[in-house]
Amino acid sequence: MSEIELTGFGGRSVRINTGLFINNEFRPATGDAQLEVENPTTGARLASVSAAQKEDVDAAVAAAQTAFKGPWRAVQPAQRGRLLNKLADLIDRDADDLASLEALDAGIIFGDAKALHITQAAETLRYFAGWADKLTGQLLSIPQGYAFTRREPLGVCAAVVPWNAPLMITIWKLAPAIAAGNVLIIKTPELSPLYGQKLAELVREAGFPAGVVNILCGEGRIAGQALAEHHGVKKIAFTGSGPVGREIMRAAASSNLKKVTLELGGKGPSIVFGDADLDNALFWTVTGITANNGQVCAAGSRIYVHASIYDKFLAAFAERLNNTARAPGDPLAEGTTKGPVISRRQKEKIAEYIQDAKASGIRVVAGGGDVNSATEGHFVGTTAFGDVPDDARIMKEEIFGPVASIAKFQTEAEVIEKANATEYGLAAAVFTNDVNRAQRVSEAIESGQVTVNCWGILHANTPFGGVKQSGFGRDMGEEALDGWLTTKTVKYFTLPTADAE
Ligand code: NAD
């Protein structure tokens, strides 16, 4: 299969194979189907990779089934842990290559990709490596004797991943899936698939038996849907948009009732009380909407500020926002503080929200216009609106871009009601120095996670996922393992003594 060479951080040469990774080999897609990958920084074509067709998904499922019934069964749990640790070491070793690839096709700033996403992926692998030989069941007493439970792998599983932090989100699925003893097919995102091509090489180098981890790029409607509809796939873990999450549930329901977990979008509230450490609250609320250009499902895109500090907060927020947006450019270049968004479509969607809010007379606090970058490409201005009404589109809908909607509140009860007035429930942040208030508010917020005096920090040992229409199931933490295991109950009846001896 064809190899290509790309130029990464500091001019380094990054080589990847562009084929589908099935059974530890790269191969072309049926009919040699290809997907064009764009560099969002320049808008120019970057590479072509093989695009999996339905027949290729069938081949990957068959390879995974063979591995699950054969060589993988013989691999002891502790060895599964060693493989995950080895993969973590290889990811650390090649972090510059992986971060370069995410900068090239996803527009993620190199330093952020390396320090945050790649490092977090390696930590998650090591965390779940430790679980591989600790999956215990229960011993239960029943009137006739005793019972015990076994936690068993599901078999062939699939992961369908979005483009915004692709390696990290892939590892959130791969690590618990493998620790639990499953085999996996990963469908990488068509907009940023290059990390997956590199990951495939590392999977092979780490020593995973053939067929245990298969990595396919392909279009969602073809390869993703084929996985969701496949009778040989026992579980599908999805991160992405709500509409596609619903399609995956429908496909699971109309095929083999495969297990589904969904990590969908969000419209996260950040609540700043009057007693909060202002500098700290500013740092995290700005980070919450500028990190990854706001293309974060957990983005703190609704910011509620107590009336006593509202004007001061707004002025300081605008100043900091302008600073973080001051150096737009190539995410591979040192000193760049703002990269492009993923695609022209995404840029237009974000710009449309900004125009719509401006046209409705909502007050612009910072940004609101185009970005002057030295390069062509999909750059969009980091923008904050103030005094945003509860029913404004920018307050209600997920924009998935660098647009903050800020509003004033007077009381704790009022802000809790505002924070919960959304169909989403993924992440929320509370800023206060009052521990009792922090307790009350974090309990009252309808959300999968609440951070107090910070935003969005991820840890491999803490569960991450949503409530309401942000989805169900958890990535990371011990709880993630439940999504990749099934429980078998074994009952023993104690028979009466055979003779009276
Ligand atoms: P998307 O739903 O369009 O695509 C996600 C993945 O699904 C891609 O790999 C795509 O190819 C695939 N897909 C598309 N149609 C499919 C189908 N019919 N069947 C099966 N697979 C299909 O989302 P996106 O645009 O890549 O990502 C942005 C969205 O993801 C946002 O809404 C964001 O909030 C969400 N997101 C959520 C989380 C989280 O953890 N909750 C994390 C990142 C992104």
Side-chain angles (χ1 to χ4, degrees):
M1 264 311 298
S2 56
E3 267 207 346
I4 58 166
E5 184 178 5
L6 296 159
T7 304
F9 182 72
R12 66 189 294 116
S13 155
V14 185
R15 298 186 72 81
I16 49 165
N17 195 302
T18 60
L20 305 177
F21 185 71
I22 300 174
N23 242 344
N24 276 5
E25 283 171 0
F26 288 98
R27 58 165 85 167
T30 302
D32 202 21
Q34 302 274 324
L35 258 170
E36 296 276 291
V37 183
E38 187 195 71
N39 181 341
T41 304
T42 60
R45 178 185 167 280
L46 182 63
S48 297
V49 295
S50 295
Q53 305 299 298
K54 188 174 174 310
E55 296 83 345
D56 303 312
V57 168
D58 289 342
V61 173
Q65 279 169 335
T66 304
F68 187 67
K69 288 189 199 127
W72 191 232
R73 287 258 158 177
V75 173
Q76 294 302 306
Q79 176 60 6
R80 299 203 299 265
R82 281 194 285 274
L83 287 167
L84 293 174
N85 275 323
K86 178 72 182 165
L87 185 58
D89 292 345
L90 296 178
I91 284 176
D92 278 345
R93 184 195 70 190
D94 289 350
D96 281 1
D97 285 2
L98 286 159
S100 294
L101 292 170
E102 289 201 345
L104 281 167
D105 70 1
I108 301 170
I109 292 178
F110 173 84
D112 289 354
K114 186 174 172 185
L116 304 174
H117 301 178
I118 314 293
T119 305
Q120 212 282 335
E123 274 171 16
T124 299
L125 282 163
R126 294 193 175 100
Y127 171 77
F128 283 106
W131 272 113
D133 60 357
K134 297 171 192 68
L135 299 171
T136 54
Q138 287 180 304
L139 185 64
L140 302 157
S141 173
I142 55 175
Q144 301 87 349
Y146 68 93
F148 64 87
T149 58
R150 289 169 52 88
R151 296 176 85 202
E152 298 183 343
L154 300 161
V156 178
C157 299
V160 177
V161 181
W163 44 260
N164 61 329
L167 176 73
M168 185 175 79
I169 296 175
T170 296
I171 297 299
W172 290 355
K173 323 288 188 203
L174 183 154
I178 296 299
N182 298 287
V183 291
L184 188 65
I185 301 162
I186 298 158
K187 210 294 282 170
T188 57
E190 51 271 64
L191 293 176
S192 62
L194 300 182
Y195 82 96
Q197 305 302 123
K198 175 77 192 171
L199 178 65
E201 283 169 18
L202 302 185
V203 162
R204 186 162 63 182
E205 188 181 343
F208 284 84
V212 171
V213 178
N214 306 277
I215 302 181
L216 314 177
C217 182
E219 286 180 36
R221 292 228 151 262
I222 299 174
Q225 199 161 326
L227 284 166
E229 288 172 347
H230 210 291
H231 282 259
V233 173
K234 307 296 186 207
K235 186 244 161 92
I236 186 157
F238 173 74
T239 295
S241 61
V244 173
R246 285 179 162 76
E247 284 193 41
I248 285 179
M249 279 193 84
R250 273 193 286 274
S254 60
S255 56
N256 61 342
L257 286 176
K258 56 179 66 61
K259 188 167 182 162
V260 177
T261 48
L262 301 176
E263 303 278 11
L264 308 175
K267 191 73 189 171
S270 291
I271 304 171
V272 186
F273 285 94
D275 66 346
D277 176 324
L278 193 60
D279 245 18
N280 181 64
L282 283 163
F283 173 80
W284 286 113
T285 50
V286 168
T287 304
I289 196 61
T290 54
N292 217 13
N293 247 323
Q295 301 171 116
V296 178
C297 50
S301 50
R302 293 184 290 148
I303 303 172
Y304 298 107
V305 183
H306 191 260
S308 60
I309 55 163
Y310 186 73
D311 292 336
K312 195 172 165 193
F313 180 93
L314 231 54
F317 189 87
E319 192 191 322
R320 291 194 187 210
L321 212 61
N322 291 331
N323 276 344
T324 59
R326 77 184 178 280
D330 183 352
L332 280 174
E334 301 229 37
T336 296
T337 58
K338 181 175 171 64
V341 296
I342 187 73
S343 64
R344 177 164 303 284
R345 200 168 136 232
Q346 186 74 4
K347 175 185 170 158
E348 287 169 359
K349 182 184 143 196
I350 298 164
E352 198 268 316
Y353 273 106
I354 295 173
Q355 289 316 321
D356 180 61
K358 281 162 79 175
S360 343
I362 302 176
R363 172 181 166 199
V364 177
V365 171
D370 278 344
V371 168
N372 292 321
S373 154
T375 65
E376 297 293 314
H378 312 312
F379 288 84
V380 61
T382 304
T383 300
F385 290 96
D387 310 338
V388 181
D390 291 342
D391 60 354
R393 278 181 69 211
I394 55 166
M395 196 54 123
K396 291 168 70 175
E397 297 173 20
E398 185 189 44
I399 300 174
F400 223 58
V403 183
S405 299
I406 309 177
K408 193 188 292 185
F409 72 90
Q410 305 282 351
T411 68
E412 187 179 306
E414 176 200 356
V415 79
I416 288 169
E417 201 177 316
K418 284 179 189 287
N420 287 340
T422 170
E423 69 201 37
Y424 294 113
L426 186 60
V430 181
F431 297 88
T432 177
N433 274 335
D434 179 340
V435 70
N436 295 310
R437 172 178 282 149
Q439 278 289 97
R440 284 193 305 270
V441 177
S442 51
E443 201 179 311
I445 298 274
E446 298 161 357
S447 178
Q449 39 273 307
V450 181
T451 47
V452 178
N453 291 328
C454 65
W455 167 87
I457 298 274
L458 298 165
H459 298 98
N461 65 339
T462 61
F464 180 84
V467 298
K468 293 158 80 175
Q469 292 184 41
S470 290
F472 48 84
R474 291 292 178 268
D475 284 323
M476 298 185 285
E478 181 182 353
E479 204 180 321
L481 290 160
D482 295 343
W484 301 93
L485 288 161
T486 186
T487 300
K488 180 184 280 169
T489 305
V490 182
K491 293 185 182 176
Y492 275 72
F493 271 35
T494 308
L495 299 179
T497 318
D499 53 50
E501 249 183 292

